[in-house]
Amino acid sequence: MAVRAAVAGASGYAGGEVLRLLLAHPEVEIGALTGNSNAGQRLGSLQPHLLPLADRVLQETTADALAGHDVVFLALPHGQSAAVAEQLGPDVLVVDMGADFRLKDAVDWEKFYGSAHAGTWPYGLPELPGARTRLAGSKRIAVPGCYPTAVTLALFPAYAAGIAEDQAVIVAASGTSGAGKAPKPNLLGSEVMGSMSPYGVGGGHRHTPEMIQNLSEVAGAQVSVSFTPTLAPMPRGILATCSAAARPGVTAEGVRAVYEKAFADEPFVHLLPEGQWPATASVYGSNGVQVQVALDEAVGRIIAISAIDNLTKGTAGGAVQSMNIALGLPEELGLSTIGVAP
Amino acid sequence: MAVRAAVAGASGYAGGEVLRLLLAHPEVEIGALTGNSNAGQRLGSLQPHLLPLADRVLQETTADALAGHDVVFLALPHGQSAAVAEQLGPDVLVVDMGADFRLKDAVDWEKFYGSAHAGTWPYGLPELPGARTRLAGSKRIAVPGCYPTAVTLALFPAYAAGIAEDQAVIVAASGTSGAGKAPKPNLLGSEVMGSMSPYGVGGGHRHTPEMIQNLSEVAGAQVSVSFTPTLAPMPRGILATCSAAARPGVTAEGVRAVYEKAFADEPFVHLLPEGQWPATASVYGSNGVQVQVALDEAVGRIIAISAIDNLTKGTAGGAVQSMNIALGLPEELGLSTIGVAP
Amino acid sequence: MAVRAAVAGASGYAGGEVLRLLLAHPEVEIGALTGNSNAGQRLGSLQPHLLPLADRVLQETTADALAGHDVVFLALPHGQSAAVAEQLGPDVLVVDMGADFRLKDAVDWEKFYGSAHAGTWPYGLPELPGARTRLAGSKRIAVPGCYPTAVTLALFPAYAAGIAEDQAVIVAASGTSGAGKAPKPNLLGSEVMGSMSPYGVGGGHRHTPEMIQNLSEVAGAQVSVSFTPTLAPMPRGILATCSAAARPGVTAEGVRAVYEKAFADEPFVHLLPEGQWPATASVYGSNGVQVQVALDEAVGRIIAISAIDNLTKGTAGGAVQSMNIALGLPEELGLSTIGVAP
Amino acid sequence: MAVRAAVAGASGYAGGEVLRLLLAHPEVEIGALTGNSNAGQRLGSLQPHLLPLADRVLQETTADALAGHDVVFLALPHGQSAAVAEQLGPDVLVVDMGADFRLKDAVDWEKFYGSAHAGTWPYGLPELPGARTRLAGSKRIAVPGCYPTAVTLALFPAYAAGIAEDQAVIVAASGTSGAGKAPKPNLLGSEVMGSMSPYGVGGGHRHTPEMIQNLSEVAGAQVSVSFTPTLAPMPRGILATCSAAARPGVTAEGVRAVYEKAFADEPFVHLLPEGQWPATASVYGSNGVQVQVALDEAVGRIIAISAIDNLTKGTAGGAVQSMNIALGLPEELGLSTIGVAP
């Protein structure tokens, strides 16, 4: 008996990616596809890479259109998920790929997003300690942001094991799809090809409080984060270069042991052999995560680096992974750790 | 009962791509992986995107290593396939992704490849008239070249239906993976990013006689081809822009009807709606083909354009598709028409 | 005594490029810079690569703002140049980088641009026979389109010398800056990186009648053109792959002799040595043109290929070159044939 | 009276870039061009973007070939400069773009480069306090590495003014030309396009001791550096994201005042207005440097970010700038702060 899934916001990048993955999911049947400004258009003109859905037509995002599904994926602009979710009833699994239900602290939400806090849903990063239990059977899932996914997976083992001091310093490079499909001059191909540039410098990026929340939780103490995102000339991928001072007495072997233990049973996180470093191309289109860690003894810092596909593991793949857990399906169903390279 | 497959030349781009596809194939079990200069190395360091095979180690390409498989894929430099194939016995399905057995004319082979002609195997382009019959049950398959795949699919309906005059003019742009993984200065990222350049101009490209062979066969008469390949700043994809003079009396509706009929039942070829044009991004990593055709009435030419992924439909996907036919499996098994975009 | 130059439309790509070149021009002093929606903004935020002009502020495009200059460059949307030019008086050199005054045939203009024909100004492609005479002392210059520049330079020697038959078949790849700076979804970096796609197929591109006009003029007879433009994943550059049937009796040596003669004294056009082919990277940011030509004897076609920078020789560099001629300055002043590579 | 300049290593990227700049230098005449494996070849085939030098032929790198010049630029692999420099005599200005004479500490040299230390020459980063005095009249110049140029310019004002604590954390992204022109599989276009990846993680990169040397010198105390370089999918450019803890009491205004003072009279360093951040595209092909700085008050860190062109300001432009100073020419002669964008 198939799981019937609807996607609200099917014309954007997150919506397109969740459809790409659901098409390959053996237990899911794709139901309603909705949009707003694009309602009435063929998906073939909006998402020409999804050939099997080319003749599907977008409906308006209404409660009626979304009714009658087992799962509804929300790929909406920030601030719009709560109103839609309320209309869906408590028995429908609602997976929000937006930011609305990620933060626990209403003050943080209001500071970074400038609107009233909608609430907090179980956080869909299964690799975090205790997360799978919270997700099992849940009817609401807040999918993590793309940067917090990459950064948390790189750093949480160190903070959970108590080998890293406070203040993580993070510089991450993201492909342009992370900035969405709404056309802006600075996202034109002419502008981004051949260029690297930072943005949201100095703590202003909305994903910063989410990283602090995750790392502080596993550390059992407040962790501060210096986060600088940069825009890289590629469509997909996040490379997160993270570091923190090592606690006194920490050794290179000790660091490695912590990470080996943390990821030993993880189906999607691949701790690379020593000496090999992550590359975003290796996880292109895949739900896999490449992680490597080292202790720079000259400066006493743990350097942890992760590579993900921001649209897959960083958004839609993470969403499907959490859906599988919530529905009691095998966690890996319909997901792959094989990148499209070169 | 699984089909056991070996790959000779597993460290290159064609070898890596066939492994990527076989990993997703429900009836195939991956057996021996061989290389030459890379024998003894972990696949994880050579093909880091194939996480499930990371710990596999390459063997030397010997008859012993390749023995005991149902299918052997050859991803070897031109001229090396015959010697390996001879050792494999007549009951093993041998799928050659090199050029060795594509051409029927030994003189053409010697002119373009400069060595003795190895022979001719059934040609693995299932969409060509009669091809599926020739492939069914065959134990030897010559996988078409990437450019001939794109060009033949764009033009064969016009020549088969007799609506195009002789002399096709073709300009195709290919991603750099088509040039292989052997490092050469002109293929460095520094050289190719931001640059378009032609090569093999004036009929010199080795894929030209293969296009002539295909188009002449469906036309029932000699078709001449002016072919100019260009190198585009992208890793994957071929966009083939093809044209030929329309026969007198041909109409735009007539052209469209010919193409609709040719591709009506094709699982991998997608004739786009009128007004929409192919883009290589739409078939990134997929076995799909986007085709569009128009009649430029001002000049009396049929313009047919196709987009493929050179490594998937243009090489390894085409190989798996033909393998499925040869083994009596469903033709689409393990293959997808969903591109990884954006 | 410096030439004082104003630029109307200084916030776009053509406006930015003409400023880049004028900054390096020893006889030009940069005067008023105007825009419309961007009036009042610092140029440093709109064109951050033009550091010496960072503190200049855009004015509105009015007759007053543009008054008092020796030269006014118009980098305006199609259809807006005539109204501005009228206000500038007959003694000011007006260089229009838009399309408004390129075409001689009012019917063609109306068909392709959908508005009333503004007129015809001396055509700023100095390399065309007789062009320098027409440009010397002129007070009005219509700068050619980027594609017509590349295509005309590749093909006019063949048509002028009578060695090519009618019907040129042209496939050209352009960098994305050719599509301008107005944000559109299909021009997002996420969409264009990794993708090649055609547009305006079947004779619909507005640059087609301009190519026909140029080639027919040198041929002394109507030349028809099949033109397919494609969008390439790079910010700058046009590679034009052009071909036409060779007249009977034409030899490879004859073709080469024609091109050697045509470009022998041209300062910006570089006929490459035999066997070397153009690459857009080689003319990145330069006013140079790389051309190569061959006779494909198997099909009887002349293949002529050119590479330019669409913003430099294809727009702003061509504009400055023609300005130099019109003002009686050395034609090469302030222009370079050195590309920025790799 | 022109300065006569020779370039040893004219076929590589550093050699090509210094030629590109010298061609635009009004006081320089280009003399001998030498190479090793490429001796005897036309420069037109090796550096096709340098059209004015296309017919020049490379000589072997010998004392005879390099004799009779006022300036010799060395663009040689590490470890080869000393032997060539010795043969040139004390009156010739030798500008070494390699690493051989950058480090003062022989132990550091041996640790990071694995060979005997050749010595230390005046360090060609004119923006450092006291550097111009040391360079004036010098006959030997060690051009800084590309990463140290970007990092030092971003951070030295903070350390010189005593507003930053020890331990700088740096993550830098470089275009692929920084890795040179020798073909390696990981530098193929197919590998680098669409991918970000780190290398030399954990303090292993050879440029780390050079950064430590520069920052420690201006700080008057040992500064430690955590440096992670990453390879970005672009041909040129370095974006260096640097941070360090702010000393107690430091304010945002104080930080800005320090940087404004440091760069007030610098012709090539452009401190951006508040809120605007560097982009490598803005300095593409230029000798300009974009710098921005902020105080992240939530974490008490100074974030300083710079963008340079690794081949221009990061190598050949820095070399020409220092040559100008050494020869008593205006420092900006032949150099530009105008980037080629978009």
Side-chain angles (χ1 to χ4, degrees):
Chain A
M1 200 193 69
V3 173
R4 199 167 154 75
V7 176
S11 62
Y13 289 149
E17 183 73 353
V18 83
L19 287 171
R20 184 176 76 83
L21 299 175
L22 294 179
L23 279 165
H25 195 294
E27 296 291 329
V28 172
E29 179 189 309
I30 295 174
L33 309 180
T34 77
N36 283 324
S37 54
N38 299 305
Q41 293 188 43
R42 288 177 71 248
L43 201 67
S45 67
L46 298 165
Q47 307 275 22
H49 59 299
L50 303 175
L51 298 193
L53 298 174
D55 292 325
R56 297 286 294 271
V57 173
L58 256 61
Q59 301 174 253
E60 289 231 30
T61 305
T62 63
D64 274 4
L66 298 173
H69 296 84
D70 304 303
V71 186
V72 176
F73 289 91
L74 304 182
L76 303 171
H78 298 321
Q80 301 190 5
S81 296
V84 176
E86 271 167 25
Q87 301 181 296
L88 294 174
D91 294 336
V92 178
L93 172 56
V94 184
V95 183
D96 185 19
M97 298 192 286
D100 298 30
F101 297 95
R102 290 174 192 159
L103 295 185
K104 296 180 178 172
D105 187 323
V107 174
D108 267 354
W109 174 271
E110 283 160 27
K111 178 178 164 198
F112 282 87
Y113 291 89
S115 59
H117 188 223
T120 311
W121 288 355
Y123 189 73
L125 193 62
E127 292 82 0
L128 278 179
R132 288 186 172 93
T133 308
R134 289 189 293 269
L135 292 168
S138 174
K139 291 298 183 186
R140 294 291 185 271
I141 296 168
V143 178
C146 50
Y147 284 122
T149 296
V151 167
T152 304
L153 291 173
L155 280 179
F156 91 82
Y159 282 106
I163 60 173
E165 301 276 4
D166 177 25
Q167 196 162 114
V169 178
I170 297 152
V171 179
S174 173
T176 53
S177 60
K181 205 173 180 174
K184 297 174 192 160
N186 66 312
L187 298 176
L188 285 172
S190 302
E191 301 290 322
V192 297
M193 288 186 285
S195 198
M196 291 284 307
S197 57
Y199 61 101
V201 186
H205 194 281
R206 289 170 166 182
H207 285 175
T208 307
E210 194 179 337
M211 296 174 196
I212 293 172
Q213 175 175 294
N214 292 347
L215 297 179
S216 299
E217 193 162 301
V218 297
Q222 187 70 8
V223 172
S224 64
V225 165
S226 165
F227 173 54
T228 306
T230 65
L231 193 67
M234 56 190 193
R236 288 173 174 243
I238 287 178
L239 184 80
T241 302
C242 313
S243 68
R247 286 268 163 87
V250 169
T251 62
E253 294 69 31
V255 171
R256 183 137 194 109
V258 162
Y259 276 74
E260 282 177 349
K261 190 174 164 205
F263 298 132
D265 298 322
E266 286 300 336
F268 293 109
V269 186
H270 188 74
L271 180 66
L272 291 166
E274 289 185 66
Q276 190 178 348
W277 290 88
T280 61
S282 297
V283 292
Y284 205 93
S286 112
N287 203 50
V289 183
Q290 286 192 330
V291 174
Q292 183 56 290
V293 67
L295 178 66
D296 181 348
E297 294 182 354
V299 295
R301 288 187 86 82
I302 296 167
I303 319 286
I305 305 185
S306 63
I308 63 167
D309 184 314
N310 60 303
L311 289 180
T312 319
K313 178 60 179 169
T315 306
V320 171
Q321 186 182 350
S322 290
M323 176 200 80
N324 284 340
I325 296 171
L327 296 177
L329 296 169
E331 186 173 333
E332 303 175 54
L333 208 64
L335 295 168
S336 158
T337 57
I338 307 164
V340 181
Chain B
M1 200 194 70
V3 172
R4 199 168 156 75
V7 176
S11 62
Y13 289 149
E17 183 73 352
V18 83
L19 287 171
R20 184 176 76 83
L21 299 175
L22 295 178
L23 279 166
H25 195 294
E27 296 291 330
V28 171
E29 179 189 308
I30 296 175
L33 309 180
T34 76
N36 283 326
S37 54
N38 299 304
Q41 294 188 43
R42 288 177 69 251
L43 201 65
S45 67
L46 298 165
Q47 308 274 20
H49 60 298
L50 303 175
L51 299 193
L53 298 174
D55 292 327
R56 298 285 297 270
V57 173
L58 255 61
Q59 302 174 252
E60 288 232 30
T61 306
T62 62
D64 274 3
L66 298 173
H69 296 84
D70 304 301
V71 187
V72 176
F73 290 91
L74 304 181
L76 303 172
H78 299 320
Q80 302 190 4
S81 297
V84 176
E86 272 168 23
Q87 301 180 295
L88 293 173
D91 295 335
V92 178
L93 172 55
V94 184
V95 182
D96 184 19
M97 299 192 286
D100 299 28
F101 297 95
R102 292 174 191 158
L103 295 185
K104 295 180 178 173
D105 187 321
V107 174
D108 267 354
W109 174 270
E110 283 161 26
K111 178 177 164 199
F112 282 87
Y113 291 88
S115 59
H117 188 223
T120 312
W121 288 356
Y123 190 72
L125 193 62
E127 292 82 1
L128 278 180
R132 288 185 173 94
T133 308
R134 288 189 291 269
L135 292 168
S138 173
K139 291 298 183 185
R140 294 291 185 272
I141 296 168
V143 178
C146 51
Y147 284 122
T149 296
V151 166
T152 304
L153 291 173
L155 280 179
F156 91 81
Y159 282 106
I163 61 174
E165 301 276 4
D166 178 25
Q167 196 161 116
V169 178
I170 297 152
V171 180
S174 174
T176 53
S177 60
K181 204 173 182 174
K184 295 173 193 163
N186 65 314
L187 297 175
L188 285 172
S190 303
E191 302 290 322
V192 297
M193 288 186 284
S195 197
M196 290 283 308
S197 57
Y199 60 102
V201 186
H205 195 280
R206 290 171 166 181
H207 285 173
T208 307
E210 194 179 338
M211 297 174 196
I212 293 171
Q213 175 175 293
N214 292 348
L215 297 178
S216 298
E217 192 162 301
V218 297
Q222 188 71 7
V223 173
S224 64
V225 165
S226 165
F227 173 55
T228 306
T230 66
L231 193 66
M234 57 189 191
R236 287 172 175 244
I238 287 177
L239 184 80
T241 302
C242 314
S243 69
R247 286 267 163 86
V250 169
T251 63
E253 295 69 32
V255 171
R256 183 138 194 108
V258 161
Y259 277 73
E260 282 176 347
K261 190 172 163 206
F263 297 132
D265 299 322
E266 285 302 337
F268 293 110
V269 186
H270 187 75
L271 180 66
L272 291 167
E274 290 185 62
Q276 189 178 348
W277 290 88
T280 60
S282 297
V283 291
Y284 205 93
S286 113
N287 203 50
V289 183
Q290 287 192 327
V291 174
Q292 184 56 291
V293 68
L295 178 66
D296 181 348
E297 293 182 356
V299 295
R301 287 186 88 81
I302 295 166
I303 319 286
I305 304 184
S306 63
I308 64 166
D309 184 315
N310 60 303
L311 289 179
T312 319
K313 178 60 179 169
T315 305
V320 172
Q321 185 183 350
S322 290
M323 175 200 79
N324 284 339
I325 297 171
L327 295 177
L329 296 169
E331 185 173 334
E332 303 174 54
L333 209 62
L335 295 168
S336 159
T337 58
I338 306 165
V340 181
Chain C
M1 199 194 68
V3 172
R4 199 167 156 77
V7 175
S11 63
Y13 289 149
E17 183 73 353
V18 83
L19 287 171
R20 185 177 76 84
L21 299 175
L22 295 178
L23 279 165
H25 195 293
E27 296 291 329
V28 171
E29 179 189 308
I30 296 175
L33 308 181
T34 77
N36 283 327
S37 54
N38 298 304
Q41 294 189 44
R42 289 177 70 248
L43 200 66
S45 66
L46 297 165
Q47 307 275 20
H49 60 297
L50 303 175
L51 300 193
L53 297 174
D55 292 326
R56 297 286 295 271
V57 173
L58 255 62
Q59 301 175 254
E60 288 232 30
T61 305
T62 63
D64 274 5
L66 298 173
H69 295 85
D70 303 302
V71 186
V72 176
F73 289 90
L74 303 182
L76 303 171
H78 298 320
Q80 302 191 3
S81 296
V84 176
E86 272 169 22
Q87 300 180 295
L88 292 173
D91 295 336
V92 178
L93 172 56
V94 183
V95 183
D96 185 19
M97 298 192 286
D100 298 29
F101 297 94
R102 290 173 192 159
L103 295 185
K104 296 180 178 172
D105 188 323
V107 174
D108 267 354
W109 174 270
E110 283 160 26
K111 178 177 164 199
F112 281 89
Y113 291 89
S115 60
H117 188 223
T120 311
W121 288 356
Y123 189 72
L125 193 61
E127 292 82 1
L128 278 178
R132 287 185 173 93
T133 308
R134 289 189 292 270
L135 291 168
S138 173
K139 290 298 183 186
R140 293 292 185 270
I141 296 168
V143 178
C146 50
Y147 284 123
T149 296
V151 167
T152 304
L153 291 173
L155 279 179
F156 92 81
Y159 282 105
I163 60 174
E165 300 277 4
D166 178 25
Q167 196 161 117
V169 177
I170 297 152
V171 180
S174 174
T176 53
S177 60
K181 205 174 181 173
K184 296 174 193 160
N186 66 313
L187 297 176
L188 285 173
S190 302
E191 302 290 322
V192 298
M193 288 186 284
S195 197
M196 291 282 310
S197 58
Y199 61 103
V201 186
H205 195 280
R206 289 171 166 181
H207 285 173
T208 307
E210 193 180 337
M211 296 175 196
I212 293 171
Q213 176 175 293
N214 292 347
L215 298 178
S216 298
E217 193 162 301
V218 297
Q222 187 70 8
V223 173
S224 64
V225 165
S226 165
F227 173 55
T228 306
T230 65
L231 192 67
M234 57 188 192
R236 289 172 173 244
I238 287 178
L239 184 78
T241 302
C242 313
S243 69
R247 287 267 163 88
V250 168
T251 63
E253 295 69 32
V255 171
R256 183 137 194 108
V258 161
Y259 277 73
E260 282 177 346
K261 191 174 163 204
F263 297 132
D265 298 322
E266 286 301 337
F268 293 110
V269 186
H270 187 76
L271 180 67
L272 291 167
E274 290 185 63
Q276 189 178 348
W277 290 88
T280 61
S282 297
V283 291
Y284 205 94
S286 112
N287 204 51
V289 184
Q290 287 193 328
V291 174
Q292 184 56 290
V293 68
L295 178 67
D296 182 346
E297 293 182 355
V299 295
R301 288 187 87 81
I302 296 167
I303 319 285
I305 304 185
S306 64
I308 64 167
D309 184 315
N310 59 303
L311 289 179
T312 320
K313 178 60 179 169
T315 305
V320 170
Q321 186 182 350
S322 290
M323 175 200 80
N324 284 340
I325 297 171
L327 296 177
L329 296 169
E331 185 173 334
E332 303 175 54
L333 208 64
L335 295 168
S336 159
T337 57
I338 306 165
V340 181
Chain D
M1 198 195 69
V3 172
R4 199 166 156 76
V7 176
S11 62
Y13 289 150
E17 183 73 353
V18 83
L19 287 171
R20 185 177 76 83
L21 299 174
L22 295 178
L23 280 165
H25 195 293
E27 296 291 330
V28 172
E29 180 188 308
I30 295 174
L33 309 180
T34 77
N36 283 325
S37 53
N38 298 303
Q41 293 188 44
R42 289 177 71 248
L43 200 67
S45 67
L46 297 166
Q47 307 274 20
H49 60 299
L50 303 175
L51 299 193
L53 298 174
D55 292 326
R56 298 286 295 271
V57 173
L58 255 60
Q59 301 174 253
E60 289 231 28
T61 305
T62 63
D64 274 3
L66 298 173
H69 296 84
D70 304 303
V71 187
V72 176
F73 289 91
L74 304 182
L76 303 171
H78 299 320
Q80 301 190 3
S81 296
V84 177
E86 270 168 25
Q87 301 180 295
L88 295 174
D91 295 335
V92 178
L93 172 55
V94 183
V95 183
D96 184 19
M97 298 192 286
D100 298 29
F101 297 95
R102 290 173 192 160
L103 296 185
K104 295 178 178 172
D105 188 321
V107 174
D108 268 353
W109 174 270
E110 282 161 27
K111 178 178 164 198
F112 281 87
Y113 291 88
S115 60
H117 188 224
T120 313
W121 288 355
Y123 190 71
L125 193 62
E127 291 83 1
L128 277 179
R132 287 185 173 95
T133 308
R134 289 190 292 270
L135 292 167
S138 175
K139 291 299 183 186
R140 294 291 185 271
I141 296 169
V143 178
C146 50
Y147 284 122
T149 296
V151 167
T152 304
L153 290 173
L155 280 179
F156 91 81
Y159 282 105
I163 59 173
E165 301 276 4
D166 177 25
Q167 196 162 116
V169 178
I170 297 152
V171 179
S174 173
T176 53
S177 60
K181 203 174 183 173
K184 296 172 192 161
N186 66 313
L187 297 175
L188 284 173
S190 302
E191 302 290 322
V192 298
M193 287 186 284
S195 198
M196 290 284 307
S197 57
Y199 62 101
V201 186
H205 195 280
R206 289 170 167 181
H207 285 174
T208 307
E210 194 180 338
M211 297 174 195
I212 293 171
Q213 175 175 294
N214 292 348
L215 297 179
S216 299
E217 192 162 302
V218 297
Q222 188 69 9
V223 173
S224 65
V225 165
S226 165
F227 173 55
T228 306
T230 65
L231 193 67
M234 56 190 193
R236 286 172 175 245
I238 287 178
L239 184 79
T241 302
C242 313
S243 69
R247 286 268 164 86
V250 169
T251 63
E253 295 70 32
V255 171
R256 183 138 193 109
V258 161
Y259 277 74
E260 282 177 347
K261 190 173 163 206
F263 297 132
D265 298 322
E266 285 301 335
F268 293 109
V269 186
H270 187 75
L271 180 66
L272 291 167
E274 289 185 63
Q276 189 179 349
W277 290 89
T280 61
S282 297
V283 292
Y284 205 94
S286 111
N287 203 50
V289 183
Q290 287 193 329
V291 174
Q292 183 56 290
V293 68
L295 178 66
D296 182 347
E297 294 181 355
V299 296
R301 287 187 88 82
I302 296 167
I303 319 286
I305 305 184
S306 64
I308 63 167
D309 184 315
N310 60 302
L311 289 180
T312 319
K313 178 60 180 169
T315 305
V320 171
Q321 185 183 351
S322 290
M323 174 201 80
N324 284 340
I325 297 170
L327 295 177
L329 296 169
E331 187 173 333
E332 303 174 54
L333 208 64
L335 296 167
S336 158
T337 58
I338 307 164
V340 181

